[in-house]
Amino acid sequence: MRLLSIVAAFVVAMWAVGAGWASLRAAWAQPSPEGVLRTASYAVVLLAAFLYLGFWVYAADRGAGKVHRRIAIYERILKRRDQADA
């Protein structure tokens, strides 16, 4: 299930890049508040997808003992997840 969610997040990120780029080009050609808002929305979706993907990469590296510099937000999430499992 985790693998499916990771693949889905990657697909969403790639979709957001393509659609966001097209939206940015349209907003650049004819600026409007709607175009800027649409472009910003795609950017937020892209950021959320990559934060999600980064979390799972960090969790895998942490589990393998390869983390040299801890990321506080990911550590809090992992700590909360570990407490829920206990």
Side-chain angles (χ1 to χ4, degrees):
M1 188 65 167
R2 184 182 306 161
L3 180 61
L4 183 61
S5 70
I6 291 170
V7 170
F10 185 76
V11 169
V12 166
M14 293 299 100
W15 167 78
V17 166
W21 187 255
S23 176
L24 177 64
R25 289 178 53 195
W28 195 269
Q30 293 182 340
S32 70
E34 298 155 349
V36 172
L37 182 61
R38 186 178 302 123
T39 302
S41 298
Y42 286 122
V44 167
V45 169
L46 178 66
L47 179 65
F50 273 102
L51 285 173
Y52 182 79
L53 292 169
F55 170 76
W56 286 113
V57 170
Y58 182 83
D61 284 350
R62 183 176 177 245
K66 296 181 183 179
V67 172
H68 298 289
R69 184 183 302 163
R70 299 206 180 270
I71 300 174
I73 187 77
Y74 290 161
E75 285 293 330
R76 267 187 266 160
I77 294 169
L78 287 169
K79 184 178 177 181
R80 192 176 318 147
R81 196 181 86 183
D82 291 342
Q83 288 174 350
D85 289 342

